[in-house]
Amino acid sequence: MDVPTNLDARRRISFFANSLFMEMPHAPKVRQMLPFSVLTPYYKEDVLFSSQALEDQNEDGVSILFYLQKIYPDEWKIFLERVQCKNEEELRETEQSEDELRLWASYRGQTLTRTVRGMMYYRQALVLQSFLDMAREDDLMEGFRAADILSEESKLLTQCKAIADMKFTYVVSCQQYGIQKRSSDHRAQDILRLMTTYPSLRVAYIDEVEEPTTDRSKKIEKVYYSALVKAAVTKPDDPGQKLDQDIYRIKLPGNAMLGEGKPENQNHAIIFTRGEGLQTIDMNQEHYMEETLKMRNLLQEFTKKHDGVRYPSILGVREHIFTGSVSSLAWFMSNQETSFVTIGQRVLANPLRVRFHYGHPDIFDRLFHLTRGGVSKASKIINLSEDIFAGFNSTLREGNVTHHEYMQVGKGRDVGLNQISLFEAKIAYGNGEQTLSRDVYRLGHRFDFFRMLSCYYTTIGFYFSTMITVWTVYVFLYGRLYLVLSGLDDELATGKRFNHNNNLRVALASQSFVQLGFLMALPMMMEIGLERGFRTALSDFVLMQLQLASVFFTFSLGTKTHYYGKTLLHGGAEYRATGRGFVVFHAKFAENYRLYSRSHFVKGIELMILLIVFEIFGQSYRGAIAYIFITFSMWFLVFTWLFAPFLFNPSGFEWQKIVDDWTDWNKWISNRGGIGVSPEKSWESWWEKEHEPLKHSGKRGTVLEIVLASRFFIYQYGLVYHLHITKHNKSVLVYCLSWVVIFVILLVMKGVSVGRLKFSAEFQLVFRLIKGLIFITFITVVIILIALAHMTVQDIFVCILAFMPTGWGLLLVAQAIKPAIVKFQLWSSIRALARGYEIIMGLLLFTPIAFLAWFPFVSEFQTRMLFNQAFSRGLQISRILGGHKKDRAARNKE
């Protein structure tokens, strides 16, 4: 009867109860425990939601507060009871209640306030445990809370707090705090408020100060300091006093931010940490009071030899992903991450012995790592995924990384498809750079054979295998294209020697399982089965498939492959900020196009053209099973890569949104670029940025890019000989004539673009007449070819299939040799041709979406599929999507 109704409370209590039966070292008294520090890097994220931010509405009329009220209805009701208010209007009448509201919302977002509150539970737990260690019988009878109330008079409690402060230090490295303070940024005020609320909290930052110099050539020079501050003890009668107080101030030889931002932010602040343990915590994490009670036990692991030879250098702990409760995407991501941080890392640590450092709840042996290069390598680009290099560094220097299941730390994850894709792109970039790094090379040389294989599979090997899986699709389809266009496909289909190719079909069918993303769900099933029973795991798996998990994982396959392959080919990996907001808003078509154009849409259209060629000229697989597993799986891949972003986009099939998206897309595609114009505002700026990595790839990268682009010329070479108009003529002149046709089309397009510049303003009528004449000439040529040369409709369609890829191939080659194209003053023509291709691709993608948006049931189905988790909990997701507008309309009707 006393089981809490809140699902999160149930989960926390059950995990804590279960963990007490796990094997863990005995806890020493607080006086004898190992001292430790917690370090959190922070840049410019939300510290505490302001009243304005809570009320600001997005384009759907949804505010953060409105969203939280609908997602956490039971917690909102209890909050109102706690502050003794009946409704929101009454709550806003007092300033104190307003502050309580800001805190309530911030504790449910991915904010620094949530993280700091969670980590300061360590101090609270240590004070309590010190009290239990030292309290006499009388003190115990009075109780800890009574001692807390009488804190001014309680000598015991003062002693307990002093011991806790000796054993625990919390440093938040706020890189921009000095700049934010000088510019009166509200984030600086919020950080100061945190220091005041938690007096033992310390903030480290890099301070830029202009000081006079002895050098006569310049009177003032910029000096950099690494500073540590705490909240100052304030006097009520002094209005001009400083609210923060310097503890240490270390002069630096120059700007510390030379490499990647986050690791450099950690490196400058690590000197301010104390103790023998160092827990690195990201600013989108949280902790729980009951879990912090086990920290003494966990730190004792440093005193045990885990493999009989070495003491641990990194203690890994599990994470709980707290962002998987609403949308299906958040649920998929949460399950995927949960399986990795539990069953995955457990196996990596023991028996494989290849667990590294993958994120931020791990605890480092501080002295071990301070004397061996620190916890963060920060070189630009190569150390993009700085976390895992700490694990490489530790293992190479004879460290030992372990994993422990009896403590968990909360972790926020990305909840929208665009956020998830940006995160996966960042990880794929990082793995590409790891492949090129010395650290992986050295690990491969020093590991024994079996440990080397384990290390390969669990780091770069997973991404390399994913890339090979996609390459297999390409090799298979281009192999079949050769067979179809050369005529061998007909021979193989009719010849007796090739009737029994069952082995090939079995191999392709098994490969399609990987391609469809089924195997990605297997670790999740195992983890859910171990923790909640295999019946629950099976039902969750079926539910995931109904919510199109296969579409999500197949789409994810394309993201990993593109960014990993791009990094190997050209280098130049970059950090991509994913954002940590609440994503229940509609992403515009232009935004989706910018993000997925090169990674998914271009590749999807290429595969679609290949499959259409097979349907026209090839021999289908005769068996139903072979057809489903091979041809159907290919079509599934194509439609997933082309339409998954729109399928997982909230309100993606609402007609009004479609109209707005089309207007925005037209504006973006037609805007001119230039210096200072962002890629979000202009297609030209975005297009220039997309092929920027080619500048730095070197001769080898340029040659490889040209070789890969040459595959698009195969279509033209093969298809022109299958036209009825050529009458099966095999002469090379047919191929040469096809190139003549392509160049004539390109010259006409160039002439039209030049004419638009010269005549469209002053001689508009003449320009329109010229365009009319070109169109009439084109129609006349087509009619003559149909009448005299017996060209068919299929020939016209096949010509499009042949010439469109050739034009795209020419574009890719031109981008690879941009300096030469610019020298011959042809770059503007290339840009115009590229814009034409982008418009055609946009139309191909937009037309089916606009068609489906005509049917209201499609939008209803999409909402149900995307937010089934919310529906199952009885949440009113439609009111979130509709916002206050629908809510108010309903009230007016009442």
Side-chain angles (χ1 to χ4, degrees), residues 229-505:
V229 296
K230 66 176 181 179
V233 179
T234 56
K235 296 175 184 176
D237 56 342
D238 186 4
Q241 64 187 320
K242 278 182 70 178
L243 298 173
D244 56 13
Q245 175 187 340
D246 283 0
I247 303 172
Y248 299 110
R249 199 171 183 79
I250 302 166
K251 189 174 182 180
L252 302 173
N255 189 1
M257 295 298 150
L258 298 174
E260 295 292 340
K262 185 178 167 184
E264 292 285 26
N265 196 7
Q266 289 182 170
N267 285 338
H268 96 90
I270 198 171
I271 196 70
F272 300 125
T273 59
R274 296 183 302 173
E276 295 180 41
L278 175 64
Q279 186 172 28
T280 48
I281 291 289
D282 218 339
M283 67 76 45
N284 63 338
Q285 295 192 249
E286 70 167 343
H287 220 331
Y288 312 110
M289 179 62 193
E290 69 276 9
E291 296 302 312
T292 58
L293 296 169
K294 293 178 276 192
M295 191 60 176
R296 292 184 301 172
N297 307 72
L298 183 61
L299 288 168
Q300 285 301 104
E301 298 281 0
F302 279 125
T303 64
K304 291 168 56 181
K305 289 185 178 180
H306 280 263
D307 55 4
V309 180
R310 295 189 185 98
Y311 292 103
S313 55
I314 299 176
L315 303 177
V317 293
R318 61 179 276 162
E319 294 172 309
H320 164 69
I321 312 300
F322 57 72
T323 49
S325 60
V326 181
S327 73
S328 57
L329 285 176
W331 189 44
F332 300 154
M333 196 67 181
S334 172
N335 282 338
Q336 186 178 355
E337 284 291 310
T338 302
S339 65
F340 174 68
V341 299
T342 51
I343 192 172
Q345 294 189 13
R346 187 187 310 153
V347 172
L348 296 186
N350 187 23
L352 298 183
R353 303 285 182 201
V354 288
R355 188 194 187 278
F356 300 112
H357 172 56
Y358 303 102
H360 273 75
D362 291 0
I363 300 162
F364 290 84
D365 182 335
R366 181 171 166 274
L367 300 179
F368 178 94
H369 286 89
L370 273 178
T371 54
R372 289 165 178 80
V375 298
S376 302
K377 285 194 172 185
S379 297
K380 206 78 175 169
I381 299 174
I382 195 77
N383 295 133
L384 183 70
S385 297
E386 83 288 343
D387 298 327
I388 199 163
F389 282 97
F392 291 160
N393 195 35
S394 187
T395 306
L396 283 166
R397 284 157 178 76
E398 299 190 354
N400 181 22
V401 185
T402 60
H403 184 71
H404 307 280
E405 294 278 338
Y406 53 79
M407 182 190 272
Q408 69 175 3
V409 179
K411 175 83 171 177
R413 268 286 168 238
D414 313 289
V415 293
L417 184 67
N418 290 5
Q419 282 183 315
I420 291 168
S421 295
L422 285 169
F423 171 74
E424 291 192 331
K426 186 182 84 170
I427 301 299
Y429 269 145
N431 272 272
E433 293 297 344
Q434 287 166 42
T435 310
L436 307 173
S437 70
R438 294 177 186 153
D439 302 67
V440 169
Y441 171 79
R442 287 168 182 159
L443 282 170
H445 270 252
R446 284 158 177 75
F447 276 155
D448 60 71
F449 180 71
F450 298 104
R451 202 173 171 197
M452 181 188 70
L453 291 182
S454 301
C455 174
Y456 165 77
Y457 175 72
T458 56
T459 52
I460 59 172
F462 173 72
Y463 283 83
F464 192 74
S465 302
T466 303
M467 188 170 69
I468 293 294
T469 303
V470 176
W471 280 3
T472 306
V473 177
Y474 274 85
V475 170
F476 170 68
L477 290 179
Y478 273 99
R480 279 209 67 196
L481 180 71
Y482 168 74
L483 293 176
V484 166
L485 298 181
S486 64
L488 277 171
D489 200 46
D490 290 333
E491 292 291 330
L492 294 174
T494 55
K496 292 181 181 178
R497 290 174 58 197
F498 298 99
N499 278 343
H500 304 289
N501 57 349
N502 292 328
N503 293 338
L504 175 63
R505 292 182 183 182

